[in-house]
Amino acid sequence: MKNSNSIWVVMMVFMLCIAPVFGQSTAKKNKIIADSKMAKVEFVKADALMKGLFEDAYGYVIFPNVGKAGFGIGGAAGNGVVYERGKIAGMAKLSQVSIGFQAGGQAYREVIFFEGKNDLERFKGSQFEFSAQASAVAVTAGASTNVKYAGGVMVFTMQKGGLMYEASVGGQKFQFNKL
């Protein structure tokens, strides 16, 4: 029984990680774009100071729906929209695998701000990933007050639902696709 649970978890993680690799239909892209606009509204609603970050950043990517699950081995995946100077520049895919103490599942939003053109170009070149040491700020009122760019990026997350206990090691990888 324990062996079949492990196999099920590994299969689930595998599916989470490869699902974003497959092509997206126009309807799906339009839904992701609409969801990213709503996520932006929700980020600003939670912390009004984020409005300035969206206006001042050279670019940003919004992942409106990231799903994460794990039991020992975990994974996360999501699709997002990349903005350059406030205009849509393309679509992005996020994937993550983690190993460690973790159990449960959750859904969250993530936004990554890029300080300058070179930072965004590195992301668009699909040569951008976060190590296990990278940290994100959980969005609450005033959370963005003292946050500064680190390596040309700032990351914010917002919990949508679910419950997950975690003390794991893993990193996020991204893939950019022009529209």
Side-chain angles (χ1 to χ4, degrees):
M1 180 72 171
K2 206 174 201 183
N3 228 1
S4 66
N5 285 340
S6 297
I7 292 170
W8 183 83
V9 169
V10 169
M11 291 298 290
M12 184 176 72
V13 169
F14 178 73
M15 292 307 291
L16 274 172
C17 291
I18 67 163
V21 173
F22 298 109
Q24 299 171 352
S25 68
T26 301
K28 185 174 180 181
K29 284 180 186 175
N30 289 338
K31 168 106 172 79
I32 295 166
I33 291 168
D35 288 350
S36 77
K37 290 177 182 178
M38 180 55 76
K40 181 178 176 181
V41 168
E42 291 296 322
F43 276 113
V44 172
K45 186 176 171 184
D47 182 356
L49 297 174
M50 287 192 74
K51 182 177 185 206
L53 294 176
F54 282 107
E55 292 170 353
D56 296 339
Y58 183 84
Y60 53 90
V61 58
I62 299 175
F63 295 97
N65 300 300
V66 179
K68 184 175 186 178
F71 188 79
I73 298 172
N79 294 297
V81 182
V82 179
Y83 295 84
E84 183 171 0
R85 292 301 201 197
K87 295 187 169 121
I88 296 175
M91 306 297 286
K93 297 173 185 171
L94 173 156
S95 62
Q96 175 180 332
V97 175
S98 55
I99 299 171
F101 176 74
Q102 53 193 325
Q106 67 182 33
Y108 62 95
R109 297 178 178 102
E110 182 172 321
V111 61
I112 304 169
F113 292 100
F114 301 99
E115 187 173 23
K117 181 176 180 156
N118 289 340
D119 306 309
L120 180 59
E121 290 302 318
R122 190 166 44 111
F123 182 88
K124 287 166 65 176
S126 295
Q127 298 190 354
F128 189 87
E129 61 183 67
F130 287 131
S131 67
Q133 291 77 30
S135 61
V137 176
V139 175
T140 57
S144 65
T145 304
N146 294 317
V147 178
K148 297 192 179 356
Y149 284 98
V153 299
M154 266 192 290
V155 183
F156 292 88
T157 62
M158 177 185 287
Q159 180 87 6
K160 289 179 69 177
L163 181 62
M164 187 159 185
Y165 297 100
E166 183 174 27
S168 62
V169 175
Q172 290 183 338
K173 292 187 179 193
F174 303 93
Q175 179 184 349
F176 173 79
N177 296 306
K178 279 187 155 181
L179 280 180

